[in-house]
PDB file of all heavy atoms in Angstrom:
ATOM      1  N   THR A   1      16.281  -9.834  -7.057  1.00  0.00           N
ATOM      2  CA  THR A   1      16.991 -10.102  -5.811  1.00  0.00           C
ATOM      3  C   THR A   1      15.985 -10.248  -4.678  1.00  0.00           C
ATOM      4  O   THR A   1      14.809  -9.885  -4.812  1.00  0.00           O
ATOM      5  CB  THR A   1      17.967  -8.971  -5.488  1.00  0.00           C
ATOM      6  OG1 THR A   1      17.219  -7.768  -5.284  1.00  0.00           O
ATOM      7  CG2 THR A   1      18.971  -8.772  -6.612  1.00  0.00           C
ATOM      8  N   VAL A   2      16.453 -10.743  -3.555  1.00  0.00           N
ATOM      9  CA  VAL A   2      15.579 -10.869  -2.393  1.00  0.00           C
ATOM     10  C   VAL A   2      15.040  -9.508  -1.954  1.00  0.00           C
ATOM     11  O   VAL A   2      13.841  -9.372  -1.672  1.00  0.00           O
ATOM     12  CB  VAL A   2      16.318 -11.581  -1.238  1.00  0.00           C
ATOM     13  CG1 VAL A   2      15.459 -11.560   0.031  1.00  0.00           C
ATOM     14  CG2 VAL A   2      16.663 -13.007  -1.613  1.00  0.00           C
ATOM     15  N   PRO A   3      15.886  -8.449  -1.872  1.00  0.00           N
ATOM     16  CA  PRO A   3      15.327  -7.132  -1.528  1.00  0.00           C
ATOM     17  C   PRO A   3      14.241  -6.668  -2.488  1.00  0.00           C
ATOM     18  O   PRO A   3      13.231  -6.103  -2.052  1.00  0.00           O
ATOM     19  CB  PRO A   3      16.557  -6.214  -1.586  1.00  0.00           C
ATOM     20  CG  PRO A   3      17.709  -7.110  -1.291  1.00  0.00           C
ATOM     21  CD  PRO A   3      17.360  -8.405  -1.939  1.00  0.00           C
ATOM     22  N   ASP A   4      14.438  -6.907  -3.796  1.00  0.00           N
ATOM     23  CA  ASP A   4      13.422  -6.487  -4.755  1.00  0.00           C
ATOM     24  C   ASP A   4      12.121  -7.266  -4.580  1.00  0.00           C
ATOM     25  O   ASP A   4      11.023  -6.723  -4.760  1.00  0.00           O
ATOM     26  CB  ASP A   4      13.934  -6.639  -6.187  1.00  0.00           C
ATOM     27  CG  ASP A   4      14.865  -5.506  -6.593  1.00  0.00           C
ATOM     28  OD1 ASP A   4      14.926  -4.508  -5.844  1.00  0.00           O
ATOM     29  OD2 ASP A   4      15.524  -5.619  -7.646  1.00  0.00           O
ATOM     30  N   LEU A   5      12.223  -8.545  -4.244  1.00  0.00           N
ATOM     31  CA  LEU A   5      11.015  -9.328  -3.978  1.00  0.00           C
ATOM     32  C   LEU A   5      10.297  -8.813  -2.739  1.00  0.00           C
ATOM     33  O   LEU A   5       9.061  -8.715  -2.709  1.00  0.00           O
ATOM     34  CB  LEU A   5      11.371 -10.808  -3.807  1.00  0.00           C
ATOM     35  CG  LEU A   5      11.849 -11.538  -5.071  1.00  0.00           C
ATOM     36  CD1 LEU A   5      12.310 -12.952  -4.739  1.00  0.00           C
ATOM     37  CD2 LEU A   5      10.729 -11.580  -6.113  1.00  0.00           C
ATOM     38  N   LEU A   6      11.067  -8.462  -1.712  1.00  0.00           N
ATOM     39  CA  LEU A   6      10.463  -7.919  -0.497  1.00  0.00           C
ATOM     40  C   LEU A   6       9.795  -6.572  -0.753  1.00  0.00           C
ATOM     41  O   LEU A   6       8.832  -6.213  -0.089  1.00  0.00           O
ATOM     42  CB  LEU A   6      11.523  -7.779   0.600  1.00  0.00           C
ATOM     43  CG  LEU A   6      12.062  -9.084   1.181  1.00  0.00           C
ATOM     44  CD1 LEU A   6      13.199  -8.806   2.157  1.00  0.00           C
ATOM     45  CD2 LEU A   6      10.949  -9.861   1.887  1.00  0.00           C
ATOM     46  N   ARG A   7      10.310  -5.844  -1.731  1.00  0.00           N
ATOM     47  CA  ARG A   7       9.729  -4.535  -2.044  1.00  0.00           C
ATOM     48  C   ARG A   7       8.303  -4.656  -2.587  1.00  0.00           C
ATOM     49  O   ARG A   7       7.541  -3.693  -2.538  1.00  0.00           O
ATOM     50  CB  ARG A   7      10.609  -3.800  -3.067  1.00  0.00           C
ATOM     51  CG  ARG A   7      11.902  -3.258  -2.465  1.00  0.00           C
ATOM     52  CD  ARG A   7      12.714  -2.460  -3.478  1.00  0.00           C
ATOM     53  NE  ARG A   7      13.795  -1.773  -2.819  1.00  0.00           N
ATOM     54  CZ  ARG A   7      15.054  -2.224  -2.741  1.00  0.00           C
ATOM     55  NH1 ARG A   7      15.376  -3.383  -3.327  1.00  0.00           N
ATOM     56  NH2 ARG A   7      15.972  -1.525  -2.094  1.00  0.00           N
ATOM     57  N   LEU A   8       7.932  -5.808  -3.090  1.00  0.00           N
ATOM     58  CA  LEU A   8       6.585  -5.989  -3.628  1.00  0.00           C
ATOM     59  C   LEU A   8       5.509  -5.893  -2.551  1.00  0.00           C
ATOM     60  O   LEU A   8       4.317  -5.766  -2.874  1.00  0.00           O
ATOM     61  CB  LEU A   8       6.479  -7.336  -4.349  1.00  0.00           C
ATOM     62  CG  LEU A   8       7.265  -7.448  -5.657  1.00  0.00           C
ATOM     63  CD1 LEU A   8       7.145  -8.852  -6.233  1.00  0.00           C
ATOM     64  CD2 LEU A   8       6.781  -6.411  -6.672  1.00  0.00           C
ATOM     65  N   VAL A   9       5.913  -5.947  -1.278  1.00  0.00           N
ATOM     66  CA  VAL A   9       4.937  -5.770  -0.206  1.00  0.00           C
ATOM     67  C   VAL A   9       4.298  -4.387  -0.288  1.00  0.00           C
ATOM     68  O   VAL A   9       3.185  -4.173   0.217  1.00  0.00           O
ATOM     69  CB  VAL A   9       5.606  -5.980   1.175  1.00  0.00           C
ATOM     70  CG1 VAL A   9       6.500  -4.798   1.540  1.00  0.00           C
ATOM     71  CG2 VAL A   9       4.554  -6.179   2.263  1.00  0.00           C
ATOM     72  N   ALA A  10       4.979  -3.454  -0.955  1.00  0.00           N
ATOM     73  CA  ALA A  10       4.441  -2.097  -1.086  1.00  0.00           C
ATOM     74  C   ALA A  10       3.153  -2.080  -1.908  1.00  0.00           C
ATOM     75  O   ALA A  10       2.303  -1.202  -1.707  1.00  0.00           O
ATOM     76  CB  ALA A  10       5.480  -1.178  -1.730  1.00  0.00           C
ATOM     77  N   VAL A  11       2.985  -3.023  -2.823  1.00  0.00           N
ATOM     78  CA  VAL A  11       1.810  -2.998  -3.716  1.00  0.00           C
ATOM     79  C   VAL A  11       0.507  -3.208  -2.936  1.00  0.00           C
ATOM     80  O   VAL A  11      -0.396  -2.361  -3.010  1.00  0.00           O
ATOM     81  CB  VAL A  11       1.961  -4.031  -4.850  1.00  0.00           C
ATOM     82  CG1 VAL A  11       0.711  -4.052  -5.721  1.00  0.00           C
ATOM     83  CG2 VAL A  11       3.192  -3.707  -5.698  1.00  0.00           C
ATOM     84  N   PRO A  12       0.348  -4.305  -2.192  1.00  0.00           N
ATOM     85  CA  PRO A  12      -0.917  -4.448  -1.443  1.00  0.00           C
ATOM     86  C   PRO A  12      -1.091  -3.385  -0.363  1.00  0.00           C
ATOM     87  O   PRO A  12      -2.218  -2.955  -0.096  1.00  0.00           O
ATOM     88  CB  PRO A  12      -0.827  -5.853  -0.835  1.00  0.00           C
ATOM     89  CG  PRO A  12       0.638  -6.184  -0.829  1.00  0.00           C
ATOM     90  CD  PRO A  12       1.210  -5.501  -2.029  1.00  0.00           C
ATOM     91  N   VAL A  13       0.010  -2.963   0.254  1.00  0.00           N
ATOM     92  CA  VAL A  13      -0.098  -1.940   1.301  1.00  0.00           C
ATOM     93  C   VAL A  13      -0.590  -0.623   0.712  1.00  0.00           C
ATOM     94  O   VAL A  13      -1.496   0.023   1.253  1.00  0.00           O
ATOM     95  CB  VAL A  13       1.250  -1.750   2.027  1.00  0.00           C
ATOM     96  CG1 VAL A  13       1.170  -0.555   2.967  1.00  0.00           C
ATOM     97  CG2 VAL A  13       1.616  -2.998   2.804  1.00  0.00           C
ATOM     98  N   PHE A  14      -0.008  -0.211  -0.417  1.00  0.00           N
ATOM     99  CA  PHE A  14      -0.430   1.045  -1.033  1.00  0.00           C
ATOM    100  C   PHE A  14      -1.823   0.920  -1.640  1.00  0.00           C
ATOM    101  O   PHE A  14      -2.542   1.931  -1.730  1.00  0.00           O
ATOM    102  CB  PHE A  14       0.587   1.498  -2.078  1.00  0.00           C
ATOM    103  CG  PHE A  14       1.660   2.386  -1.508  1.00  0.00           C
ATOM    104  CD1 PHE A  14       2.736   1.837  -0.821  1.00  0.00           C
ATOM    105  CD2 PHE A  14       1.591   3.758  -1.626  1.00  0.00           C
ATOM    106  CE1 PHE A  14       3.717   2.646  -0.269  1.00  0.00           C
ATOM    107  CE2 PHE A  14       2.564   4.581  -1.082  1.00  0.00           C
ATOM    108  CZ  PHE A  14       3.638   4.027  -0.403  1.00  0.00           C
ATOM    109  N   ALA A  15      -2.215  -0.274  -2.057  1.00  0.00           N
ATOM    110  CA  ALA A  15      -3.594  -0.471  -2.523  1.00  0.00           C
ATOM    111  C   ALA A  15      -4.566  -0.228  -1.373  1.00  0.00           C
ATOM    112  O   ALA A  15      -5.589   0.464  -1.531  1.00  0.00           O
ATOM    113  CB  ALA A  15      -3.764  -1.880  -3.083  1.00  0.00           C
ATOM    114  N   TRP A  16      -4.255  -0.775  -0.208  1.00  0.00           N
ATOM    115  CA  TRP A  16      -5.102  -0.583   0.973  1.00  0.00           C
ATOM    116  C   TRP A  16      -5.136   0.888   1.380  1.00  0.00           C
ATOM    117  O   TRP A  16      -6.201   1.423   1.711  1.00  0.00           O
ATOM    118  CB  TRP A  16      -4.569  -1.433   2.127  1.00  0.00           C
ATOM    119  CG  TRP A  16      -5.299  -1.198   3.418  1.00  0.00           C
ATOM    120  CD1 TRP A  16      -6.500  -1.720   3.793  1.00  0.00           C
ATOM    121  CD2 TRP A  16      -4.874  -0.355   4.498  1.00  0.00           C
ATOM    122  NE1 TRP A  16      -6.853  -1.261   5.039  1.00  0.00           N
ATOM    123  CE2 TRP A  16      -5.872  -0.428   5.498  1.00  0.00           C
ATOM    124  CE3 TRP A  16      -3.749   0.436   4.722  1.00  0.00           C
ATOM    125  CZ2 TRP A  16      -5.778   0.279   6.696  1.00  0.00           C
ATOM    126  CZ3 TRP A  16      -3.655   1.133   5.917  1.00  0.00           C
ATOM    127  CH2 TRP A  16      -4.654   1.053   6.887  1.00  0.00           C
ATOM    128  N   ILE A  17      -3.982   1.551   1.337  1.00  0.00           N
ATOM    129  CA  ILE A  17      -3.907   2.967   1.698  1.00  0.00           C
ATOM    130  C   ILE A  17      -4.756   3.805   0.747  1.00  0.00           C
ATOM    131  O   ILE A  17      -5.483   4.715   1.167  1.00  0.00           O
ATOM    132  CB  ILE A  17      -2.441   3.450   1.685  1.00  0.00           C
ATOM    133  CG1 ILE A  17      -1.672   2.823   2.852  1.00  0.00           C
ATOM    134  CG2 ILE A  17      -2.366   4.973   1.749  1.00  0.00           C
ATOM    135  CD1 ILE A  17      -0.169   3.069   2.792  1.00  0.00           C
ATOM    136  N   ALA A  18      -4.677   3.513  -0.553  1.00  0.00           N
ATOM    137  CA  ALA A  18      -5.449   4.273  -1.536  1.00  0.00           C
ATOM    138  C   ALA A  18      -6.945   4.090  -1.327  1.00  0.00           C
ATOM    139  O   ALA A  18      -7.718   5.058  -1.385  1.00  0.00           O
ATOM    140  CB  ALA A  18      -5.058   3.853  -2.950  1.00  0.00           C
ATOM    141  N   ILE A  19      -7.377   2.854  -1.068  1.00  0.00           N
ATOM    142  CA  ILE A  19      -8.801   2.589  -0.826  1.00  0.00           C
ATOM    143  C   ILE A  19      -9.276   3.302   0.423  1.00  0.00           C
ATOM    144  O   ILE A  19     -10.346   3.921   0.444  1.00  0.00           O
ATOM    145  CB  ILE A  19      -9.053   1.073  -0.722  1.00  0.00           C
ATOM    146  CG1 ILE A  19      -8.806   0.398  -2.070  1.00  0.00           C
ATOM    147  CG2 ILE A  19     -10.474   0.787  -0.235  1.00  0.00           C
ATOM    148  CD1 ILE A  19      -8.827  -1.115  -2.019  1.00  0.00           C
ATOM    149  N   ARG A  20      -8.471   3.237   1.467  1.00  0.00           N
ATOM    150  CA  ARG A  20      -8.830   3.912   2.720  1.00  0.00           C
ATOM    151  C   ARG A  20      -8.914   5.427   2.524  1.00  0.00           C
ATOM    152  O   ARG A  20      -9.797   6.079   3.071  1.00  0.00           O
ATOM    153  CB  ARG A  20      -7.837   3.564   3.811  1.00  0.00           C
ATOM    154  CG  ARG A  20      -8.145   4.235   5.138  1.00  0.00           C
ATOM    155  CD  ARG A  20      -7.293   3.699   6.261  1.00  0.00           C
ATOM    156  NE  ARG A  20      -7.569   4.401   7.502  1.00  0.00           N
ATOM    157  CZ  ARG A  20      -8.618   4.182   8.284  1.00  0.00           C
ATOM    158  NH1 ARG A  20      -9.499   3.251   7.934  1.00  0.00           N
ATOM    159  NH2 ARG A  20      -8.803   4.859   9.402  1.00  0.00           N
ATOM    160  N   ASP A  21      -7.997   5.963   1.740  1.00  0.00           N
ATOM    161  CA  ASP A  21      -7.989   7.407   1.501  1.00  0.00           C
ATOM    162  C   ASP A  21      -9.228   7.844   0.716  1.00  0.00           C
ATOM    163  O   ASP A  21      -9.777   8.917   0.952  1.00  0.00           O
ATOM    164  CB  ASP A  21      -6.721   7.814   0.754  1.00  0.00           C
ATOM    165  CG  ASP A  21      -6.316   9.254   1.040  1.00  0.00           C
ATOM    166  OD1 ASP A  21      -6.794   9.810   2.042  1.00  0.00           O
ATOM    167  OD2 ASP A  21      -5.520   9.806   0.270  1.00  0.00           O
ATOM    168  N   ILE A  22      -9.671   6.990  -0.218  1.00  0.00           N
ATOM    169  CA  ILE A  22     -10.893   7.299  -0.974  1.00  0.00           C
ATOM    170  C   ILE A  22     -12.103   7.306  -0.044  1.00  0.00           C
ATOM    171  O   ILE A  22     -12.958   8.193  -0.111  1.00  0.00           O
ATOM    172  CB  ILE A  22     -11.102   6.283  -2.110  1.00  0.00           C
ATOM    173  CG1 ILE A  22     -10.038   6.466  -3.193  1.00  0.00           C
ATOM    174  CG2 ILE A  22     -12.495   6.428  -2.708  1.00  0.00           C
ATOM    175  CD1 ILE A  22     -10.070   5.400  -4.250  1.00  0.00           C
ATOM    176  N   LYS A  23     -12.171   6.310   0.842  1.00  0.00           N
ATOM    177  CA  LYS A  23     -13.349   6.149   1.687  1.00  0.00           C
ATOM    178  C   LYS A  23     -13.391   7.135   2.849  1.00  0.00           C
ATOM    179  O   LYS A  23     -14.467   7.604   3.232  1.00  0.00           O
ATOM    180  CB  LYS A  23     -13.412   4.716   2.233  1.00  0.00           C
ATOM    181  CG  LYS A  23     -13.707   3.665   1.176  1.00  0.00           C
ATOM    182  CD  LYS A  23     -13.800   2.289   1.808  1.00  0.00           C
ATOM    183  CE  LYS A  23     -14.196   1.235   0.771  1.00  0.00           C
ATOM    184  NZ  LYS A  23     -14.296  -0.119   1.375  1.00  0.00           N
ATOM    185  N   THR A  24     -12.240   7.431   3.443  1.00  0.00           N
ATOM    186  CA  THR A  24     -12.227   8.219   4.675  1.00  0.00           C
ATOM    187  C   THR A  24     -11.424   9.499   4.596  1.00  0.00           C
ATOM    188  O   THR A  24     -11.560  10.357   5.471  1.00  0.00           O
ATOM    189  CB  THR A  24     -11.666   7.386   5.837  1.00  0.00           C
ATOM    190  OG1 THR A  24     -10.260   7.163   5.640  1.00  0.00           O
ATOM    191  CG2 THR A  24     -12.368   6.034   5.946  1.00  0.00           C
ATOM    192  N   ARG A  25     -10.569   9.645   3.587  1.00  0.00           N
ATOM    193  CA  ARG A  25      -9.636  10.772   3.482  1.00  0.00           C
ATOM    194  C   ARG A  25      -8.736  10.853   4.713  1.00  0.00           C
ATOM    195  O   ARG A  25      -8.230  11.911   5.065  1.00  0.00           O
ATOM    196  CB  ARG A  25     -10.377  12.107   3.323  1.00  0.00           C
ATOM    197  CG  ARG A  25     -11.168  12.238   2.043  1.00  0.00           C
ATOM    198  CD  ARG A  25     -10.276  12.131   0.794  1.00  0.00           C
ATOM    199  NE  ARG A  25     -10.948  12.655  -0.375  1.00  0.00           N
ATOM    200  CZ  ARG A  25     -11.760  11.958  -1.163  1.00  0.00           C
ATOM    201  NH1 ARG A  25     -12.005  10.707  -0.874  1.00  0.00           N
ATOM    202  NH2 ARG A  25     -12.310  12.501  -2.215  1.00  0.00           N
ATOM    203  N   ARG A  26      -8.547   9.729   5.388  1.00  0.00           N
ATOM    204  CA  ARG A  26      -7.697   9.685   6.568  1.00  0.00           C
ATOM    205  C   ARG A  26      -6.775   8.479   6.462  1.00  0.00           C
ATOM    206  O   ARG A  26      -7.225   7.371   6.181  1.00  0.00           O
ATOM    207  CB  ARG A  26      -8.513   9.562   7.868  1.00  0.00           C
ATOM    208  CG  ARG A  26      -9.614  10.598   8.058  1.00  0.00           C
ATOM    209  CD  ARG A  26      -9.074  12.000   8.207  1.00  0.00           C
ATOM    210  NE  ARG A  26     -10.095  12.943   8.610  1.00  0.00           N
ATOM    211  CZ  ARG A  26     -10.943  13.557   7.788  1.00  0.00           C
ATOM    212  NH1 ARG A  26     -10.918  13.269   6.477  1.00  0.00           N
ATOM    213  NH2 ARG A  26     -11.806  14.434   8.234  1.00  0.00           N
TER     214      ARG A  26
END
């Protein structure tokens, strides 16, 4: 569905968050 497709935005965002957390813990 369209909502499920929009939910895929979580993947790159959480990838960025995880990388930032590794590098800065912030």
Side-chain angles (χ1 to χ4, degrees):
T1 63
V2 173
D4 281 348
L5 291 174
L6 291 174
R7 286 184 170 97
L8 291 177
V9 73
V11 177
V13 172
F14 270 80
W16 174 80
I17 290 171
I19 293 171
R20 180 170 177 78
D21 207 18
I22 291 173
K23 291 182 176 180
T24 70
R25 295 299 198 273
R26 307 295 190 276

